[in-house]
Amino acid sequence: MDLRRRRDSVLGLCGIIANMGGNDDGTPTAKPASDSAPAVAKATDAPVTPTDAPKPAGIGDAVTSGDLSWTVAAVEDKGQSWAGQFSSETTAGRFLKVDLAITNNGSEEVSLYSQPTIKDAKGREFKATDKLMMVIGSDAWCTGKALPAGVPQTCTNGYELPADATGLSLVVNDGGFVGGDEQSIDLGQ
């Protein structure tokens, strides 16, 4: 966690404590009684959402983890079969193609070792499947891709998912052997 996030967390906690109420002696403050009944939300009322809540990153939005900036350029549900130039694969579930744009914002070239994973609404995690490397083509495959400093790169990952996987998000990190600061990107699936 970087210092800015840590500071924001501490400030947020201080704000919560300050708004808890109470007198200087620790006794709770009394609220005046109201003559009217409390407001009751109707089923037709729109749900209340905080206006200052950050919008989750989605397709086309860049997120940063360590020195890497990640953008999901496109997502394609390939269904149960995926045919490429050199090979084809089938599954009882479904394949998902994720096109990525990655920029190394550091000062030295790095290689991409840790791959993004997909998480679904049930909390299941899915890794890019190696069996799709020949379908996608090794030139486009993300694993081991060299990322020169400051030069945007594109690559494609393929995922094999159960047919019932929904609420998908791509979880990215700094690309090292031990994933660093994880960020999520909503895949709209």
Side-chain angles (χ1 to χ4, degrees):
M1 182 181 294
D2 66 3
L3 292 176
R4 185 177 299 152
R5 286 187 191 195
R6 197 171 290 170
R7 180 200 67 207
D8 291 346
S9 296
V10 169
L11 291 175
L13 182 59
C14 289
I16 291 170
I17 292 170
N19 287 319
M20 290 176 70
N23 293 323
D24 290 339
D25 63 0
T27 60
T29 55
K31 294 187 178 180
S34 173
D35 292 340
S36 63
V40 177
K42 299 175 186 170
T44 57
D45 291 345
V48 178
T49 57
T51 56
D52 60 345
K55 179 184 168 203
I59 297 171
D61 296 332
V63 298
T64 301
S65 177
D67 286 337
L68 300 183
S69 176
W70 298 82
T71 303
V72 173
V75 176
E76 183 181 353
D77 189 332
K78 301 298 278 184
Q80 292 184 312
S81 62
W82 187 347
Q85 182 177 359
F86 304 109
S87 178
S88 63
E89 292 290 337
T90 60
T91 180
R94 66 181 174 129
F95 292 120
L96 197 68
K97 177 183 176 186
V98 180
D99 294 324
L100 299 163
I102 310 166
T103 301
N104 172 7
N105 298 314
S107 58
E108 296 179 14
E109 181 176 292
V110 296
S111 291
L112 190 59
Y113 293 109
S114 178
Q115 288 299 308
T117 59
I118 289 181
K119 284 188 181 178
D120 72 358
K122 294 180 179 180
R124 299 177 292 187
E125 288 189 34
F126 309 97
K127 296 179 180 181
T129 180
D130 290 337
K131 76 180 189 177
L132 293 171
M133 182 188 282
M134 293 310 295
V135 174
I136 293 170
S138 60
D139 291 345
W141 194 247
C142 294
T143 302
K145 187 157 191 80
L147 302 172
V151 181
Q153 301 290 310
T154 59
C155 62
T156 299
N157 271 350
Y159 297 86
E160 185 174 13
L161 309 171
D164 68 344
T166 60
L168 305 178
S169 62
L170 188 76
V171 179
V172 300
N173 59 42
D174 64 6
F177 285 112
V178 181
D181 177 34
E182 291 186 340
Q183 302 291 325
S184 292
I185 302 171
D186 182 3
L187 297 178
Q189 298 272 324

